[in-house]
Amino acid sequence: LGTFPRPDTRHTDVMIVANENPRSGVVTFHFSPASGVAEANTRIRLAATQDVIAVAKMNDGSFFMASKQVKVTIGGCGG
């Protein structure tokens, strides 16, 4: 997995993973030049505090990964 992608590349696929969930593969987005702006959003129900990972496949065949820890609280409202 590479460092931040070069300016002349674009992502063709983005997969979101939450390893601590019963089904870790949350969603995969596919983009093409016809997509226009490669932008997407989703909501995820998490089973526990965990890293949520995004893996992007670039049009040159390279991959880029980023992760962020998401804290899950009891009741979902900080309680």
Side-chain angles (χ1 to χ4, degrees), residues 16-46:
I16 307 295
V17 177
N19 283 333
E20 299 297 319
N21 273 11
R23 300 178 114 193
S24 59
V26 175
V27 66
T28 301
F29 298 102
H30 303 282
F31 301 101
S32 73
S35 300
V37 176
E39 182 177 288
N41 61 59
T42 190
R43 290 177 177 248
I44 304 169
R45 177 174 280 177
L46 298 175

Side-chain angles (χ1 to χ4, degrees), residues 7-77:
D8 60 333
T9 60
R10 63 175 179 76
H11 48 285
T12 59
D13 301 276
V14 176
M15 182 173 70
I16 307 295
V17 177
N19 283 333
E20 299 297 319
N21 273 11
R23 300 178 114 193
S24 59
V26 175
V27 66
T28 301
F29 298 102
H30 303 282
F31 301 101
S32 73
S35 300
V37 176
E39 182 177 288
N41 61 59
T42 190
R43 290 177 177 248
I44 304 169
R45 177 174 280 177
L46 298 175
T49 297
Q50 60 190 288
D51 288 337
V52 175
I53 304 163
V55 179
K57 180 180 179 185
M58 309 307 287
N59 64 332
D60 66 356
S62 64
F63 290 85
F64 175 72
M65 182 185 79
S67 66
K68 179 74 175 176
Q69 186 180 59
V70 178
K71 184 178 180 182
V72 174
T73 57
I74 297 171
C77 296

